[in-house]
Amino acid sequence: MDNLKGLKRTHSCGELRAKDEGAQVVLMGWVQRRRDHGGVIFIDLRDREGITQIVFDEELSGEAHKKAEKLRSEYVMAVNGKVRLRPGDTANPNMPTGEIEVVANELRILNTAQTPPFQIEDDINVAEDVRLRYRYLDLRRPSLQRNIILRYNVTKAVRRYFDNEGFIDVETPFLTKSTPEGARDYLVPSRVNRGKFFALPQSPQLFKQILMIAGFDKYYQIVKCFRDEDLRADRQPEFTQIDVEMSFVEREDIYRVMEGLMKTVFSEAAGIEIDTPFPRISYEEAMKNYGNDKPDTRFEMKLVDLTETFKQSQFKVFSSVVENNGLISGINAKGFAGMTRKELDDLTEFVKGEGAKGLVWIKVLENELQSPVVKFFSQEEIEDMKNRLGAEAGDLLFIIADESETTYRALSELRLKIGKEKGLIDEKRYDFLWITDFPLLEYDSEEKRYVAMHHPFTSPVDEDISLLDSNPQAVRAKAYDLVLNGSEIGGGSIRIHRNDIQQKMFDLLGIGKEEAEAKFGFLLEALQYGAPPHGGIAFGLDRLVMILAGAESIREVISFPKTQKAVCQMTGAPSEVDEKQLIELGIKLRRSVK
């Protein structure tokens, strides 16, 4: 095994070009692959910047050639040699360094490596748990390195933007108070204060509001947050937020500053130019037109309310839904009347999986409508349905009738499924959309009380404050979400800065004075000392980078992610701890009985 002994790298493995012909260079990295052609050995040498072909020619340097015979995949090496143009037609136009190669005159083998459990290259078919178990090898793959570097470039652009806008980066505590609203907290037992627990923050919400009361005016932080919840493709137990709060602002100020942030991030980190201002629609419009509050607007196919059309229908499935104050809604899959019966049956099963009882499909042909149920419709209903859906020959109509929530969910998911499977979505397009005017409250029928749609510190719209006593469900919030390509990437609100309105909000949520004091006493006290009007937003950094990278899961843009069971395959966390540690904490485990 060799040492560096003062040898210094002059270039990365992705840097050399034809203009460097004749230069004496030193490269260092990992062996991507080795090809032995007898008197000549070719090594593809890799580092995070790329790959360069190294040539060990027995006639030019016998010692280096003999040493190169020992090289294997993922060995770590340094090479000193001269850049030359690749001879004849051996240039590789698919590689940035494909015009040149480095002819070695010195080789140092810095370390050996076991045979990796999978090839260190993109487009490999390897189980994700194996990749996560050997994450240090997985991270050598070019696609993951690009993702992590993209993430760095995003955070660099974020910091530069906020610095230029006069924001201050302030750290907030990780060990804080448990306020069990929403997702479960991760709890940390206190050794010093036996029987008491810290909680890891689900967000810095209360602290950033207190920073506004403290007079810091403009705050941001790129911060880790924690939620003990069931995972899916775009969730992790620990995740990173771009957290922002501003004083003396209204919603328009938030929109303007955050649109500037997105414009800067996309341009500087990914070379993508986006247009501002972003379009806005209300929560009510989003639900009515798309069936959810994070619509993908890269393709059309809006939902159309057909309840009025079929309110007197002889078709019992529809009439019973109308009688029970449900919703009949449809979409027009334009030009897809040629779908097979199997495809239609598969889509029917799909919406049933979303809770719908069934799916009505109608093919619009040149001189007729083709459907098992169209015989139950009157001519007047047919004409009104066609007009509302903009139906033309060759179109395929889908209708779902159910409770409003079920109809919206099933039809929204059906719309997305058709859009993805039929190639209606432009994957290179970035559609931003503000969703505004959310309901302040929603009623939880199980707990028989109101719950905050966002969080209990969200301010109601000024003109709706009078409705807090008489019609709470009609009150709109000064809340907003930023949606990108059908994913919510950020959400925030103007906050309540008056103690009397905050107390009224707690009353509506069924949070008594003692409970409010126990959970949020420090904030309520702070609000009595001159809180300015303030508001903010938090963006999910992981999700934003995932979209920019074109990745399927945020695990592809996080260096060391957890699995869907919240386990780190590489380190084995979470793990059991020593009994002594538990005794120090005053904790005794109760073993589950199988």
Side-chain angles (χ1 to χ4, degrees):
M1 210 77 70
D2 300 315
N3 296 313
L4 287 174
K5 294 180 181 176
L7 191 66
K8 301 296 182 185
R9 180 166 50 179
T10 62
H11 297 79
S12 76
C13 292
E15 190 175 347
L16 297 171
R17 300 292 186 270
K19 63 181 175 57
D20 299 303
E21 180 187 9
Q24 192 71 27
V25 299
V26 176
L27 304 182
M28 300 180 187
W30 288 262
V31 176
Q32 177 70 23
R33 60 178 59 86
R34 171 182 177 273
R35 303 181 300 282
D36 192 339
H37 292 187
V40 179
I41 296 174
F42 294 96
I43 295 292
D44 288 345
L45 186 64
R46 184 195 73 244
D47 66 11
R48 78 176 193 194
E49 301 298 333
I51 292 176
T52 297
Q53 180 169 282
I54 313 298
V55 180
F56 294 92
D57 191 324
E58 190 174 20
E59 292 184 1
L60 298 177
S61 179
E63 182 181 348
H65 178 273
K66 186 173 180 60
K67 213 171 191 179
E69 292 177 341
K70 301 176 184 177
L71 292 173
R72 296 294 181 270
S73 176
E74 297 308 306
Y75 274 33
V76 187
M77 59 173 273
V79 63
N80 193 340
K82 183 177 285 189
V83 180
R84 77 178 183 193
L85 296 178
R86 293 198 189 189
D89 60 353
T90 62
N92 185 348
N94 298 319
M95 287 177 61
T97 62
E99 292 179 291
I100 60 93
E101 58 193 12
V102 173
V103 181
N105 53 46
E106 181 188 7
L107 168 65
R108 298 189 190 182
I109 300 176
L110 303 176
N111 214 336
T112 60
Q114 294 184 32
T115 302
F118 50 82
Q119 290 293 315
I120 310 300
E121 56 189 36
D122 293 334
D123 302 319
I124 53 172
N125 185 20
V126 180
E128 188 179 45
D129 61 339
V130 176
R131 290 177 49 209
L132 295 178
R133 164 69 179 83
Y134 297 95
R135 189 62 166 182
Y136 43 85
L137 297 178
D138 198 33
L139 282 169
R140 291 181 186 176
R141 296 193 300 117
S143 60
L144 256 67
Q145 294 200 338
R146 283 194 299 271
N147 289 352
I148 300 304
I149 292 169
L150 172 64
R151 185 186 179 104
Y152 159 71
N153 287 329
V154 168
T155 59
K156 184 169 63 172
V158 167
R159 294 185 190 282
R160 182 159 49 239
Y161 176 79
F162 281 131
D163 288 347
N164 291 338
E165 290 288 322
F167 284 74
I168 299 171
D169 182 355
V170 183
E171 296 172 89
T172 52
F174 273 7
L175 295 177
T176 185
K177 186 181 180 72
S178 178
T179 54
E181 289 284 322
R184 299 181 191 90
D185 286 328
Y186 273 103
L187 299 178
V188 181
S190 171
R191 180 187 59 81
V192 177
N193 300 283
R194 284 284 190 96
K196 294 186 177 180
F197 294 81
F198 297 105
L200 300 181
Q202 295 186 33
S203 86
Q205 180 64 45
L206 302 182
F207 288 104
K208 68 178 180 178
Q209 288 191 243
I210 284 175
L211 284 170
M212 297 303 101
I213 297 170
F216 281 89
D217 201 274
K218 292 180 176 181
Y219 143 95
Y220 86 97
Q221 186 183 185
I222 298 175
V223 59
K224 281 281 189 185
C225 300
F226 308 85
R227 286 180 188 159
D228 185 6
E229 60 183 355
D230 297 331
L231 308 184
R232 54 180 189 264
D234 56 353
R235 291 286 173 92
Q236 284 278 295
E238 52 180 319
F239 55 97
T240 306
Q241 281 187 183
I242 304 168
D243 202 51
V244 188
E245 199 77 6
M246 303 161 64
S247 290
F248 307 109
V249 293
E250 297 180 302
R251 283 176 285 181
E252 290 296 331
D253 302 296
I254 302 288
Y255 300 152
R256 175 183 54 80
V257 174
M258 298 313 135
E259 286 170 3
L261 171 66
M262 289 298 125
K263 192 172 183 68
T264 298
V265 166
F266 272 65
S267 178
E268 294 186 7
I272 297 168
E273 300 304 323
I274 58 175
D275 295 327
T276 56
F278 301 152
R280 305 173 196 170
I281 62 173
S282 69
Y283 171 83
E284 185 178 353
E285 289 176 276
M287 296 303 295
K288 180 180 176 181
N289 292 329
Y290 300 100
N292 67 48
D293 59 4
K294 48 181 185 296
D296 191 334
T297 54
R298 289 175 294 174
F299 69 109
E300 290 297 324
M301 207 186 298
K302 292 182 179 179
L303 278 61
V304 176
D305 189 339
L306 299 173
T307 309
E308 186 69 21
T309 302
F310 294 108
K311 65 179 181 180
Q312 304 293 336
S313 179
Q314 298 303 305
F315 185 40
K316 289 185 178 180
V317 172
F318 285 1
S319 58
S320 64
V321 166
V322 174
E323 287 170 10
N324 289 293
N325 297 314
L327 173 67
I328 304 172
S329 189
I331 55 174
N332 183 350
K334 296 198 75 65
F336 288 109
M339 270 197 199
T340 66
R341 185 58 187 258
K342 183 182 185 308
E343 287 180 295
L344 295 170
D345 289 344
D346 288 345
L347 292 178
T348 301
E349 291 305 310
F350 173 78
V351 299
K352 287 180 178 178
E354 296 295 331
K357 297 179 181 68
L359 176 66
V360 170
W361 55 264
I362 303 169
K363 292 185 177 184
V364 184
L365 305 181
E366 198 64 49
N367 297 309
E368 63 172 335
L369 298 183
Q370 189 180 95
S371 170
V373 303
V374 75
K375 61 188 176 185
F376 298 109
F377 299 168
S378 70
Q379 193 59 39
E380 183 182 349
E381 289 170 342
I382 289 172
E383 291 305 318
D384 192 56
M385 173 192 70
K386 288 170 67 176
N387 287 335
R388 288 176 186 261
L389 288 167
E392 300 172 314
D395 292 349
L396 178 58
L397 313 180
F398 292 103
I399 301 173
I400 291 178
D402 216 306
E403 296 175 340
S404 295
E405 184 179 336
T406 302
T407 297
Y408 280 143
R409 181 178 61 251
L411 210 48
S412 168
E413 291 301 319
L414 178 63
R415 173 184 179 270
L416 286 172
K417 183 177 178 66
I418 294 171
K420 290 174 182 176
E421 293 184 353
K422 298 300 181 181
L424 303 180
I425 300 173
D426 182 355
E427 298 292 347
K428 294 182 179 179
R429 181 171 151 186
Y430 295 92
D431 267 22
F432 287 89
L433 179 69
W434 287 108
I435 308 295
T436 67
D437 291 332
F438 284 84
L440 182 70
L441 305 165
E442 51 188 346
Y443 191 74
D444 188 323
S445 55
E446 288 186 10
E447 295 193 17
K448 294 183 171 50
R449 68 179 181 95
Y450 289 112
V451 295
M453 194 161 199
H454 278 73
H455 57 63
F457 315 107
T458 299
S459 176
V461 170
D462 294 339
E463 53 267 36
D464 290 355
I465 290 178
S466 61
L467 298 174
L468 286 171
D469 293 321
S470 59
N471 190 8
Q473 278 188 278
V475 178
R476 293 165 297 163
K478 291 183 181 178
Y480 34 80
D481 283 354
L482 185 57
V483 174
L484 172 58
N485 294 354
S487 288
E488 177 203 327
I489 61 168
S493 65
I494 301 299
R495 322 301 185 189
I496 296 171
H497 70 281
R498 285 170 41 188
N499 207 11
D500 59 330
I501 295 179
Q502 186 63 75
Q503 190 57 58
K504 186 178 284 289
M505 183 70 167
F506 285 151
D507 290 344
L508 284 169
L509 297 173
I511 299 174
K513 288 188 177 181
E514 287 187 10
E515 184 183 359
E517 185 65 32
K519 290 179 177 178
F520 314 112
F522 58 100
L523 175 64
L524 297 177
E525 183 179 53
L527 287 172
Q528 299 176 50
Y529 288 89
H534 60 284
I537 194 168
F539 295 102
L541 176 65
D542 308 310
R543 197 173 306 184
L544 178 60
V545 177
M546 179 186 82
I547 293 171
L548 272 172
E552 293 295 320
S553 164
I554 59 172
R555 291 189 291 277
E556 297 299 305
V557 298
I558 298 173
S559 300
F560 302 102
K562 306 291 188 292
T563 67
Q564 289 195 342
K565 293 185 177 179
V567 169
C568 175
Q569 296 277 37
M570 187 181 74
T571 65
S575 62
E576 295 182 353
V577 297
D578 191 84
E579 186 70 24
K580 182 181 177 182
Q581 291 174 279
L582 295 177
I583 292 171
E584 286 179 337
L585 294 167
I587 291 176
K588 185 176 182 179
L589 296 181
R590 185 172 65 188
R591 304 293 179 184
S592 59
V593 180
K594 294 185 178 179

